[in-house]
PDB file of all heavy atoms in Angstrom:
ATOM      1  N   MET A   1      -9.724  -5.887  23.494  1.00  0.00           N
ATOM      2  CA  MET A   1     -10.284  -6.612  24.669  1.00  0.00           C
ATOM      3  C   MET A   1     -11.528  -7.403  24.366  1.00  0.00           C
ATOM      4  O   MET A   1     -11.871  -8.300  25.077  1.00  0.00           O
ATOM      5  CB  MET A   1     -10.526  -5.612  25.788  1.00  0.00           C
ATOM      6  CG  MET A   1      -9.295  -5.084  26.460  1.00  0.00           C
ATOM      7  SD  MET A   1      -9.621  -3.723  27.585  1.00  0.00           S
ATOM      8  CE  MET A   1     -10.711  -4.505  28.789  1.00  0.00           C
ATOM      9  N   GLU A   2     -12.170  -7.053  23.216  1.00  0.00           N
ATOM     10  CA  GLU A   2     -13.374  -7.751  22.843  1.00  0.00           C
ATOM     11  C   GLU A   2     -13.034  -9.077  22.098  1.00  0.00           C
ATOM     12  O   GLU A   2     -13.897  -9.922  21.817  1.00  0.00           O
ATOM     13  CB  GLU A   2     -14.242  -6.851  21.973  1.00  0.00           C
ATOM     14  CG  GLU A   2     -14.832  -5.683  22.649  1.00  0.00           C
ATOM     15  CD  GLU A   2     -15.767  -4.903  21.754  1.00  0.00           C
ATOM     16  OE1 GLU A   2     -16.268  -5.460  20.803  1.00  0.00           O
ATOM     17  OE2 GLU A   2     -15.945  -3.715  22.029  1.00  0.00           O
ATOM     18  N   VAL A   3     -11.751  -9.233  21.694  1.00  0.00           N
ATOM     19  CA  VAL A   3     -11.355 -10.453  21.003  1.00  0.00           C
ATOM     20  C   VAL A   3     -11.183 -11.626  21.908  1.00  0.00           C
ATOM     21  O   VAL A   3     -10.541 -11.504  22.942  1.00  0.00           O
ATOM     22  CB  VAL A   3      -9.983 -10.161  20.218  1.00  0.00           C
ATOM     23  CG1 VAL A   3      -9.458 -11.461  19.658  1.00  0.00           C
ATOM     24  CG2 VAL A   3     -10.209  -9.095  19.130  1.00  0.00           C
ATOM     25  N   ASN A   4     -11.801 -12.715  21.589  1.00  0.00           N
ATOM     26  CA  ASN A   4     -11.668 -13.947  22.371  1.00  0.00           C
ATOM     27  C   ASN A   4     -10.971 -15.004  21.496  1.00  0.00           C
ATOM     28  O   ASN A   4     -11.566 -15.585  20.590  1.00  0.00           O
ATOM     29  CB  ASN A   4     -13.047 -14.460  22.790  1.00  0.00           C
ATOM     30  CG  ASN A   4     -12.928 -15.610  23.792  1.00  0.00           C
ATOM     31  OD1 ASN A   4     -11.902 -16.295  23.895  1.00  0.00           O
ATOM     32  ND2 ASN A   4     -14.044 -15.915  24.453  1.00  0.00           N
ATOM     33  N   LEU A   5      -9.699 -15.143  21.700  1.00  0.00           N
ATOM     34  CA  LEU A   5      -8.906 -16.077  20.857  1.00  0.00           C
ATOM     35  C   LEU A   5      -9.437 -17.521  20.804  1.00  0.00           C
ATOM     36  O   LEU A   5      -9.398 -18.176  19.804  1.00  0.00           O
ATOM     37  CB  LEU A   5      -7.418 -16.070  21.299  1.00  0.00           C
ATOM     38  CG  LEU A   5      -6.655 -14.717  21.086  1.00  0.00           C
ATOM     39  CD1 LEU A   5      -5.292 -14.840  21.680  1.00  0.00           C
ATOM     40  CD2 LEU A   5      -6.552 -14.422  19.632  1.00  0.00           C
ATOM     41  N   SER A   6      -9.892 -17.970  21.976  1.00  0.00           N
ATOM     42  CA  SER A   6     -10.346 -19.351  22.037  1.00  0.00           C
ATOM     43  C   SER A   6     -11.564 -19.616  21.191  1.00  0.00           C
ATOM     44  O   SER A   6     -11.891 -20.746  20.776  1.00  0.00           O
ATOM     45  CB  SER A   6     -10.593 -19.736  23.466  1.00  0.00           C
ATOM     46  OG  SER A   6     -11.579 -18.936  24.055  1.00  0.00           O
ATOM     47  N   THR A   7     -12.325 -18.477  20.890  1.00  0.00           N
ATOM     48  CA  THR A   7     -13.567 -18.648  20.071  1.00  0.00           C
ATOM     49  C   THR A   7     -13.234 -19.232  18.710  1.00  0.00           C
ATOM     50  O   THR A   7     -13.978 -20.002  18.150  1.00  0.00           O
ATOM     51  CB  THR A   7     -14.206 -17.287  19.955  1.00  0.00           C
ATOM     52  OG1 THR A   7     -14.525 -16.773  21.255  1.00  0.00           O
ATOM     53  CG2 THR A   7     -15.485 -17.433  19.162  1.00  0.00           C
ATOM     54  N   VAL A   8     -12.098 -18.832  18.138  1.00  0.00           N
ATOM     55  CA  VAL A   8     -11.728 -19.261  16.758  1.00  0.00           C
ATOM     56  C   VAL A   8     -11.588 -20.713  16.763  1.00  0.00           C
ATOM     57  O   VAL A   8     -12.108 -21.422  15.847  1.00  0.00           O
ATOM     58  CB  VAL A   8     -10.418 -18.599  16.338  1.00  0.00           C
ATOM     59  CG1 VAL A   8     -10.011 -19.073  14.945  1.00  0.00           C
ATOM     60  CG2 VAL A   8     -10.548 -17.074  16.268  1.00  0.00           C
ATOM     61  N   TRP A   9     -10.921 -21.358  17.736  1.00  0.00           N
ATOM     62  CA  TRP A   9     -10.621 -22.767  17.753  1.00  0.00           C
ATOM     63  C   TRP A   9     -11.918 -23.546  18.155  1.00  0.00           C
ATOM     64  O   TRP A   9     -12.109 -24.625  17.626  1.00  0.00           O
ATOM     65  CB  TRP A   9      -9.475 -23.047  18.713  1.00  0.00           C
ATOM     66  CG  TRP A   9      -8.298 -22.189  18.448  1.00  0.00           C
ATOM     67  CD1 TRP A   9      -7.756 -21.314  19.335  1.00  0.00           C
ATOM     68  CD2 TRP A   9      -7.537 -22.114  17.259  1.00  0.00           C
ATOM     69  NE1 TRP A   9      -6.690 -20.692  18.725  1.00  0.00           N
ATOM     70  CE2 TRP A   9      -6.545 -21.118  17.459  1.00  0.00           C
ATOM     71  CE3 TRP A   9      -7.605 -22.759  15.955  1.00  0.00           C
ATOM     72  CZ2 TRP A   9      -5.589 -20.806  16.471  1.00  0.00           C
ATOM     73  CZ3 TRP A   9      -6.733 -22.381  15.005  1.00  0.00           C
ATOM     74  CH2 TRP A   9      -5.700 -21.439  15.263  1.00  0.00           C
ATOM     75  N   ARG A  10     -12.735 -22.968  19.019  1.00  0.00           N
ATOM     76  CA  ARG A  10     -13.943 -23.708  19.399  1.00  0.00           C
ATOM     77  C   ARG A  10     -14.885 -23.930  18.255  1.00  0.00           C
ATOM     78  O   ARG A  10     -15.636 -24.901  18.176  1.00  0.00           O
ATOM     79  CB  ARG A  10     -14.669 -22.972  20.532  1.00  0.00           C
ATOM     80  CG  ARG A  10     -14.003 -23.165  21.879  1.00  0.00           C
ATOM     81  CD  ARG A  10     -15.007 -22.935  23.003  1.00  0.00           C
ATOM     82  NE  ARG A  10     -15.665 -21.592  22.934  1.00  0.00           N
ATOM     83  CZ  ARG A  10     -15.205 -20.507  23.499  1.00  0.00           C
ATOM     84  NH1 ARG A  10     -14.128 -20.592  24.230  1.00  0.00           N
ATOM     85  NH2 ARG A  10     -15.855 -19.378  23.356  1.00  0.00           N
ATOM     86  N   GLN A  11     -14.970 -23.000  17.293  1.00  0.00           N
ATOM     87  CA  GLN A  11     -15.836 -23.124  16.179  1.00  0.00           C
ATOM     88  C   GLN A  11     -15.357 -24.052  15.065  1.00  0.00           C
ATOM     89  O   GLN A  11     -16.069 -24.401  14.145  1.00  0.00           O
ATOM     90  CB  GLN A  11     -16.143 -21.734  15.575  1.00  0.00           C
ATOM     91  CG  GLN A  11     -17.141 -20.913  16.376  1.00  0.00           C
ATOM     92  CD  GLN A  11     -18.417 -21.597  16.697  1.00  0.00           C
ATOM     93  OE1 GLN A  11     -18.633 -22.063  17.777  1.00  0.00           O
ATOM     94  NE2 GLN A  11     -19.233 -21.755  15.748  1.00  0.00           N
ATOM     95  N   GLY A  12     -14.109 -24.478  15.185  1.00  0.00           N
ATOM     96  CA  GLY A  12     -13.558 -25.528  14.220  1.00  0.00           C
ATOM     97  C   GLY A  12     -13.536 -25.070  12.806  1.00  0.00           C
ATOM     98  O   GLY A  12     -13.272 -23.828  12.510  1.00  0.00           O
ATOM     99  N   LYS A  13     -13.797 -25.964  11.856  1.00  0.00           N
ATOM    100  CA  LYS A  13     -13.546 -25.727  10.462  1.00  0.00           C
ATOM    101  C   LYS A  13     -14.471 -24.689   9.855  1.00  0.00           C
ATOM    102  O   LYS A  13     -14.060 -23.935   8.914  1.00  0.00           O
ATOM    103  CB  LYS A  13     -13.679 -27.011   9.660  1.00  0.00           C
ATOM    104  CG  LYS A  13     -15.060 -27.519   9.543  1.00  0.00           C
ATOM    105  CD  LYS A  13     -15.157 -28.723   8.564  1.00  0.00           C
ATOM    106  CE  LYS A  13     -16.579 -29.202   8.349  1.00  0.00           C
ATOM    107  NZ  LYS A  13     -16.600 -30.228   7.290  1.00  0.00           N
ATOM    108  N   VAL A  14     -15.702 -24.483  10.444  1.00  0.00           N
ATOM    109  CA  VAL A  14     -16.597 -23.477   9.782  1.00  0.00           C
ATOM    110  C   VAL A  14     -16.018 -22.092   9.972  1.00  0.00           C
ATOM    111  O   VAL A  14     -15.920 -21.350   8.916  1.00  0.00           O
ATOM    112  CB  VAL A  14     -17.946 -23.588  10.503  1.00  0.00           C
ATOM    113  CG1 VAL A  14     -18.970 -22.563   9.857  1.00  0.00           C
ATOM    114  CG2 VAL A  14     -18.610 -24.961  10.423  1.00  0.00           C
ATOM    115  N   ALA A  15     -15.588 -21.670  11.164  1.00  0.00           N
ATOM    116  CA  ALA A  15     -15.009 -20.418  11.404  1.00  0.00           C
ATOM    117  C   ALA A  15     -13.791 -20.219  10.589  1.00  0.00           C
ATOM    118  O   ALA A  15     -13.491 -19.116  10.053  1.00  0.00           O
ATOM    119  CB  ALA A  15     -14.790 -20.223  12.893  1.00  0.00           C
ATOM    120  N   LEU A  16     -12.957 -21.253  10.509  1.00  0.00           N
ATOM    121  CA  LEU A  16     -11.694 -21.173   9.762  1.00  0.00           C
ATOM    122  C   LEU A  16     -11.969 -20.950   8.259  1.00  0.00           C
ATOM    123  O   LEU A  16     -11.323 -20.075   7.612  1.00  0.00           O
ATOM    124  CB  LEU A  16     -10.894 -22.434   9.984  1.00  0.00           C
ATOM    125  CG  LEU A  16      -9.437 -22.380   9.512  1.00  0.00           C
ATOM    126  CD1 LEU A  16      -8.698 -21.282  10.143  1.00  0.00           C
ATOM    127  CD2 LEU A  16      -8.768 -23.711   9.764  1.00  0.00           C
ATOM    128  N   TRP A  17     -12.927 -21.649   7.752  1.00  0.00           N
ATOM    129  CA  TRP A  17     -13.199 -21.477   6.291  1.00  0.00           C
ATOM    130  C   TRP A  17     -13.785 -20.070   6.045  1.00  0.00           C
ATOM    131  O   TRP A  17     -13.399 -19.416   5.037  1.00  0.00           O
ATOM    132  CB  TRP A  17     -14.321 -22.521   5.855  1.00  0.00           C
ATOM    133  CG  TRP A  17     -13.696 -23.813   5.388  1.00  0.00           C
ATOM    134  CD1 TRP A  17     -13.875 -25.043   5.955  1.00  0.00           C
ATOM    135  CD2 TRP A  17     -12.880 -24.074   4.283  1.00  0.00           C
ATOM    136  NE1 TRP A  17     -13.183 -26.018   5.292  1.00  0.00           N
ATOM    137  CE2 TRP A  17     -12.577 -25.440   4.171  1.00  0.00           C
ATOM    138  CE3 TRP A  17     -12.393 -23.216   3.271  1.00  0.00           C
ATOM    139  CZ2 TRP A  17     -11.800 -25.984   3.176  1.00  0.00           C
ATOM    140  CZ3 TRP A  17     -11.536 -23.788   2.225  1.00  0.00           C
ATOM    141  CH2 TRP A  17     -11.272 -25.143   2.247  1.00  0.00           C
ATOM    142  N   VAL A  18     -14.684 -19.589   6.891  1.00  0.00           N
ATOM    143  CA  VAL A  18     -15.209 -18.276   6.794  1.00  0.00           C
ATOM    144  C   VAL A  18     -14.117 -17.193   6.850  1.00  0.00           C
ATOM    145  O   VAL A  18     -14.078 -16.243   6.041  1.00  0.00           O
ATOM    146  CB  VAL A  18     -16.307 -18.001   7.785  1.00  0.00           C
ATOM    147  CG1 VAL A  18     -16.795 -16.564   7.741  1.00  0.00           C
ATOM    148  CG2 VAL A  18     -17.533 -18.877   7.576  1.00  0.00           C
ATOM    149  N   ALA A  19     -13.258 -17.373   7.826  1.00  0.00           N
ATOM    150  CA  ALA A  19     -12.197 -16.433   8.053  1.00  0.00           C
ATOM    151  C   ALA A  19     -11.239 -16.389   6.882  1.00  0.00           C
ATOM    152  O   ALA A  19     -10.857 -15.276   6.366  1.00  0.00           O
ATOM    153  CB  ALA A  19     -11.394 -16.771   9.332  1.00  0.00           C
ATOM    154  N   LEU A  20     -10.788 -17.553   6.371  1.00  0.00           N
ATOM    155  CA  LEU A  20      -9.858 -17.599   5.251  1.00  0.00           C
ATOM    156  C   LEU A  20     -10.490 -17.072   3.998  1.00  0.00           C
ATOM    157  O   LEU A  20      -9.933 -16.164   3.276  1.00  0.00           O
ATOM    158  CB  LEU A  20      -9.371 -19.026   5.071  1.00  0.00           C
ATOM    159  CG  LEU A  20      -8.425 -19.568   6.169  1.00  0.00           C
ATOM    160  CD1 LEU A  20      -8.053 -20.959   5.977  1.00  0.00           C
ATOM    161  CD2 LEU A  20      -7.143 -18.696   6.270  1.00  0.00           C
ATOM    162  N   ALA A  21     -11.636 -17.637   3.534  1.00  0.00           N
ATOM    163  CA  ALA A  21     -12.249 -17.247   2.271  1.00  0.00           C
ATOM    164  C   ALA A  21     -12.714 -15.767   2.384  1.00  0.00           C
ATOM    165  O   ALA A  21     -12.661 -14.985   1.398  1.00  0.00           O
ATOM    166  CB  ALA A  21     -13.415 -18.163   1.972  1.00  0.00           C
ATOM    167  N   GLY A  22     -13.260 -15.364   3.507  1.00  0.00           N
ATOM    168  CA  GLY A  22     -13.768 -14.025   3.746  1.00  0.00           C
ATOM    169  C   GLY A  22     -12.633 -12.964   3.765  1.00  0.00           C
ATOM    170  O   GLY A  22     -12.875 -11.766   3.595  1.00  0.00           O
ATOM    171  N   MET A  23     -11.415 -13.410   3.969  1.00  0.00           N
ATOM    172  CA  MET A  23     -10.277 -12.500   3.916  1.00  0.00           C
ATOM    173  C   MET A  23      -9.554 -12.567   2.567  1.00  0.00           C
ATOM    174  O   MET A  23      -9.273 -11.555   1.966  1.00  0.00           O
ATOM    175  CB  MET A  23      -9.238 -12.837   5.081  1.00  0.00           C
ATOM    176  CG  MET A  23      -8.088 -11.928   5.136  1.00  0.00           C
ATOM    177  SD  MET A  23      -8.502 -10.399   6.030  1.00  0.00           S
ATOM    178  CE  MET A  23      -6.970  -9.513   5.906  1.00  0.00           C
ATOM    179  N   LEU A  24      -9.353 -13.765   2.084  1.00  0.00           N
ATOM    180  CA  LEU A  24      -8.541 -13.973   0.875  1.00  0.00           C
ATOM    181  C   LEU A  24      -9.198 -13.429  -0.422  1.00  0.00           C
ATOM    182  O   LEU A  24      -8.586 -12.817  -1.241  1.00  0.00           O
ATOM    183  CB  LEU A  24      -8.182 -15.426   0.686  1.00  0.00           C
ATOM    184  CG  LEU A  24      -7.215 -16.007   1.764  1.00  0.00           C
ATOM    185  CD1 LEU A  24      -6.960 -17.526   1.494  1.00  0.00           C
ATOM    186  CD2 LEU A  24      -5.854 -15.271   1.708  1.00  0.00           C
ATOM    187  N   LEU A  25     -10.529 -13.768  -0.567  1.00  0.00           N
ATOM    188  CA  LEU A  25     -11.166 -13.343  -1.851  1.00  0.00           C
ATOM    189  C   LEU A  25     -11.242 -11.787  -1.963  1.00  0.00           C
ATOM    190  O   LEU A  25     -10.781 -11.259  -2.976  1.00  0.00           O
ATOM    191  CB  LEU A  25     -12.558 -13.902  -1.862  1.00  0.00           C
ATOM    192  CG  LEU A  25     -13.329 -13.631  -3.208  1.00  0.00           C
ATOM    193  CD1 LEU A  25     -12.580 -14.123  -4.415  1.00  0.00           C
ATOM    194  CD2 LEU A  25     -14.753 -14.168  -3.146  1.00  0.00           C
ATOM    195  N   PRO A  26     -11.733 -11.062  -0.958  1.00  0.00           N
ATOM    196  CA  PRO A  26     -11.726  -9.580  -1.108  1.00  0.00           C
ATOM    197  C   PRO A  26     -10.315  -9.020  -1.132  1.00  0.00           C
ATOM    198  O   PRO A  26     -10.068  -7.974  -1.838  1.00  0.00           O
ATOM    199  CB  PRO A  26     -12.570  -9.109   0.143  1.00  0.00           C
ATOM    200  CG  PRO A  26     -12.451 -10.207   1.099  1.00  0.00           C
ATOM    201  CD  PRO A  26     -12.438 -11.454   0.308  1.00  0.00           C
ATOM    202  N   PHE A  27      -9.380  -9.663  -0.408  1.00  0.00           N
ATOM    203  CA  PHE A  27      -7.976  -9.183  -0.463  1.00  0.00           C
ATOM    204  C   PHE A  27      -7.425  -9.313  -1.831  1.00  0.00           C
ATOM    205  O   PHE A  27      -6.806  -8.413  -2.402  1.00  0.00           O
ATOM    206  CB  PHE A  27      -7.178 -10.028   0.557  1.00  0.00           C
ATOM    207  CG  PHE A  27      -5.758  -9.393   0.712  1.00  0.00           C
ATOM    208  CD1 PHE A  27      -5.508  -8.539   1.752  1.00  0.00           C
ATOM    209  CD2 PHE A  27      -4.707  -9.846  -0.124  1.00  0.00           C
ATOM    210  CE1 PHE A  27      -4.192  -8.057   1.924  1.00  0.00           C
ATOM    211  CE2 PHE A  27      -3.432  -9.366   0.056  1.00  0.00           C
ATOM    212  CZ  PHE A  27      -3.156  -8.425   1.090  1.00  0.00           C
ATOM    213  N   ALA A  28      -7.648 -10.535  -2.506  1.00  0.00           N
ATOM    214  CA  ALA A  28      -7.138 -10.761  -3.882  1.00  0.00           C
ATOM    215  C   ALA A  28      -7.834  -9.858  -4.814  1.00  0.00           C
ATOM    216  O   ALA A  28      -7.186  -9.290  -5.749  1.00  0.00           O
ATOM    217  CB  ALA A  28      -7.367 -12.227  -4.225  1.00  0.00           C
ATOM    218  N   LEU A  29      -9.129  -9.610  -4.710  1.00  0.00           N
ATOM    219  CA  LEU A  29      -9.873  -8.740  -5.595  1.00  0.00           C
ATOM    220  C   LEU A  29      -9.391  -7.304  -5.480  1.00  0.00           C
ATOM    221  O   LEU A  29      -9.116  -6.632  -6.458  1.00  0.00           O
ATOM    222  CB  LEU A  29     -11.352  -8.819  -5.251  1.00  0.00           C
ATOM    223  CG  LEU A  29     -12.294  -8.017  -6.110  1.00  0.00           C
ATOM    224  CD1 LEU A  29     -12.257  -8.458  -7.578  1.00  0.00           C
ATOM    225  CD2 LEU A  29     -13.705  -8.099  -5.618  1.00  0.00           C
ATOM    226  N   GLY A  30      -9.237  -6.817  -4.206  1.00  0.00           N
ATOM    227  CA  GLY A  30      -8.742  -5.494  -4.030  1.00  0.00           C
ATOM    228  C   GLY A  30      -7.312  -5.312  -4.498  1.00  0.00           C
ATOM    229  O   GLY A  30      -7.019  -4.225  -5.173  1.00  0.00           O
ATOM    230  N   PHE A  31      -6.421  -6.251  -4.274  1.00  0.00           N
ATOM    231  CA  PHE A  31      -5.084  -6.133  -4.708  1.00  0.00           C
ATOM    232  C   PHE A  31      -5.025  -6.139  -6.314  1.00  0.00           C
ATOM    233  O   PHE A  31      -4.260  -5.338  -6.865  1.00  0.00           O
ATOM    234  CB  PHE A  31      -4.229  -7.304  -4.215  1.00  0.00           C
ATOM    235  CG  PHE A  31      -2.773  -7.200  -4.512  1.00  0.00           C
ATOM    236  CD1 PHE A  31      -1.910  -6.502  -3.698  1.00  0.00           C
ATOM    237  CD2 PHE A  31      -2.241  -7.787  -5.719  1.00  0.00           C
ATOM    238  CE1 PHE A  31      -0.566  -6.388  -3.986  1.00  0.00           C
ATOM    239  CE2 PHE A  31      -0.898  -7.677  -6.024  1.00  0.00           C
ATOM    240  CZ  PHE A  31      -0.058  -7.007  -5.168  1.00  0.00           C
ATOM    241  N   ALA A  32      -5.772  -7.051  -6.955  1.00  0.00           N
ATOM    242  CA  ALA A  32      -5.748  -7.119  -8.376  1.00  0.00           C
ATOM    243  C   ALA A  32      -6.149  -5.803  -9.060  1.00  0.00           C
ATOM    244  O   ALA A  32      -5.544  -5.316  -9.971  1.00  0.00           O
ATOM    245  CB  ALA A  32      -6.627  -8.269  -8.839  1.00  0.00           C
ATOM    246  N   VAL A  33      -7.324  -5.256  -8.500  1.00  0.00           N
ATOM    247  CA  VAL A  33      -7.795  -4.017  -9.140  1.00  0.00           C
ATOM    248  C   VAL A  33      -6.803  -2.834  -8.870  1.00  0.00           C
ATOM    249  O   VAL A  33      -6.483  -2.055  -9.777  1.00  0.00           O
ATOM    250  CB  VAL A  33      -9.170  -3.657  -8.476  1.00  0.00           C
ATOM    251  CG1 VAL A  33      -9.565  -2.246  -8.930  1.00  0.00           C
ATOM    252  CG2 VAL A  33     -10.185  -4.678  -8.967  1.00  0.00           C
ATOM    253  N   ALA A  34      -6.252  -2.761  -7.644  1.00  0.00           N
ATOM    254  CA  ALA A  34      -5.333  -1.678  -7.331  1.00  0.00           C
ATOM    255  C   ALA A  34      -3.970  -1.825  -8.036  1.00  0.00           C
ATOM    256  O   ALA A  34      -3.290  -0.827  -8.301  1.00  0.00           O
ATOM    257  CB  ALA A  34      -5.122  -1.608  -5.777  1.00  0.00           C
ATOM    258  N   TRP A  35      -3.621  -3.079  -8.417  1.00  0.00           N
ATOM    259  CA  TRP A  35      -2.318  -3.297  -9.059  1.00  0.00           C
ATOM    260  C   TRP A  35      -2.453  -3.176 -10.547  1.00  0.00           C
ATOM    261  O   TRP A  35      -1.592  -2.511 -11.184  1.00  0.00           O
ATOM    262  CB  TRP A  35      -1.822  -4.687  -8.672  1.00  0.00           C
ATOM    263  CG  TRP A  35      -0.441  -4.960  -9.249  1.00  0.00           C
ATOM    264  CD1 TRP A  35      -0.162  -5.761 -10.277  1.00  0.00           C
ATOM    265  CD2 TRP A  35       0.807  -4.480  -8.770  1.00  0.00           C
ATOM    266  NE1 TRP A  35       1.171  -5.871 -10.560  1.00  0.00           N
ATOM    267  CE2 TRP A  35       1.815  -5.043  -9.626  1.00  0.00           C
ATOM    268  CE3 TRP A  35       1.229  -3.653  -7.711  1.00  0.00           C
ATOM    269  CZ2 TRP A  35       3.196  -4.792  -9.437  1.00  0.00           C
ATOM    270  CZ3 TRP A  35       2.577  -3.398  -7.552  1.00  0.00           C
ATOM    271  CH2 TRP A  35       3.504  -3.975  -8.406  1.00  0.00           C
ATOM    272  N   TRP A  36      -3.527  -3.751 -11.139  1.00  0.00           N
ATOM    273  CA  TRP A  36      -3.636  -3.733 -12.645  1.00  0.00           C
ATOM    274  C   TRP A  36      -4.454  -2.542 -13.127  1.00  0.00           C
ATOM    275  O   TRP A  36      -4.259  -2.142 -14.299  1.00  0.00           O
ATOM    276  CB  TRP A  36      -4.332  -5.051 -13.102  1.00  0.00           C
ATOM    277  CG  TRP A  36      -3.513  -6.281 -12.778  1.00  0.00           C
ATOM    278  CD1 TRP A  36      -3.752  -7.195 -11.803  1.00  0.00           C
ATOM    279  CD2 TRP A  36      -2.275  -6.675 -13.391  1.00  0.00           C
ATOM    280  NE1 TRP A  36      -2.775  -8.126 -11.797  1.00  0.00           N
ATOM    281  CE2 TRP A  36      -1.840  -7.867 -12.734  1.00  0.00           C
ATOM    282  CE3 TRP A  36      -1.486  -6.158 -14.444  1.00  0.00           C
ATOM    283  CZ2 TRP A  36      -0.698  -8.559 -13.113  1.00  0.00           C
ATOM    284  CZ3 TRP A  36      -0.360  -6.805 -14.780  1.00  0.00           C
ATOM    285  CH2 TRP A  36       0.021  -8.011 -14.157  1.00  0.00           C
ATOM    286  N   LEU A  37      -5.416  -2.038 -12.309  1.00  0.00           N
ATOM    287  CA  LEU A  37      -6.233  -0.862 -12.747  1.00  0.00           C
ATOM    288  C   LEU A  37      -6.226   0.141 -11.619  1.00  0.00           C
ATOM    289  O   LEU A  37      -7.242   0.504 -11.075  1.00  0.00           O
ATOM    290  CB  LEU A  37      -7.655  -1.344 -13.034  1.00  0.00           C
ATOM    291  CG  LEU A  37      -7.851  -2.325 -14.096  1.00  0.00           C
ATOM    292  CD1 LEU A  37      -9.291  -2.938 -14.102  1.00  0.00           C
ATOM    293  CD2 LEU A  37      -7.599  -1.740 -15.471  1.00  0.00           C
ATOM    294  N   PRO A  38      -5.050   0.651 -11.285  1.00  0.00           N
ATOM    295  CA  PRO A  38      -4.958   1.544 -10.121  1.00  0.00           C
ATOM    296  C   PRO A  38      -5.743   2.810 -10.214  1.00  0.00           C
ATOM    297  O   PRO A  38      -6.296   3.348  -9.211  1.00  0.00           O
ATOM    298  CB  PRO A  38      -3.451   1.889  -9.994  1.00  0.00           C
ATOM    299  CG  PRO A  38      -2.932   1.652 -11.374  1.00  0.00           C
ATOM    300  CD  PRO A  38      -3.788   0.520 -11.905  1.00  0.00           C
ATOM    301  N   GLY A  39      -5.911   3.300 -11.420  1.00  0.00           N
ATOM    302  CA  GLY A  39      -6.708   4.584 -11.587  1.00  0.00           C
ATOM    303  C   GLY A  39      -8.137   4.373 -11.209  1.00  0.00           C
ATOM    304  O   GLY A  39      -8.847   5.341 -10.816  1.00  0.00           O
ATOM    305  N   LEU A  40      -8.668   3.161 -11.277  1.00  0.00           N
ATOM    306  CA  LEU A  40     -10.055   2.915 -10.951  1.00  0.00           C
ATOM    307  C   LEU A  40     -10.319   3.093  -9.520  1.00  0.00           C
ATOM    308  O   LEU A  40     -11.460   3.401  -9.077  1.00  0.00           O
ATOM    309  CB  LEU A  40     -10.369   1.485 -11.400  1.00  0.00           C
ATOM    310  CG  LEU A  40     -11.875   1.032 -11.486  1.00  0.00           C
ATOM    311  CD1 LEU A  40     -12.568   1.911 -12.612  1.00  0.00           C
ATOM    312  CD2 LEU A  40     -12.041  -0.404 -11.796  1.00  0.00           C
ATOM    313  N   VAL A  41      -9.328   2.942  -8.627  1.00  0.00           N
ATOM    314  CA  VAL A  41      -9.521   3.151  -7.217  1.00  0.00           C
ATOM    315  C   VAL A  41      -8.734   4.273  -6.622  1.00  0.00           C
ATOM    316  O   VAL A  41      -8.346   4.380  -5.446  1.00  0.00           O
ATOM    317  CB  VAL A  41      -9.154   1.819  -6.383  1.00  0.00           C
ATOM    318  CG1 VAL A  41     -10.241   0.775  -6.615  1.00  0.00           C
ATOM    319  CG2 VAL A  41      -7.810   1.269  -6.893  1.00  0.00           C
TER     320      VAL A  41
END
């Protein structure tokens, strides 16, 4: 209920860049470590 969908679009490209890069980089880093060096995590 705290999510406001229209907020994402109102902020334009800044919010979209933050959302994409802020999700993709840690996701790729976590997946790479867990896939190639699973014992480490």
Side-chain angles (χ1 to χ4, degrees):
M1 288 171 61
E2 295 184 21
V3 172
N4 187 343
L5 292 175
S6 59
T7 302
V8 178
W9 309 119
R10 283 203 306 267
Q11 283 306 105
K13 69 171 186 176
V14 181
L16 190 59
W17 273 116
V18 172
L20 290 175
M23 184 80 183
L24 291 177
L25 184 61
F27 189 92
L29 182 61
F31 185 88
V33 172
W35 184 258
W36 298 106
L37 299 169
L40 197 63
V41 286

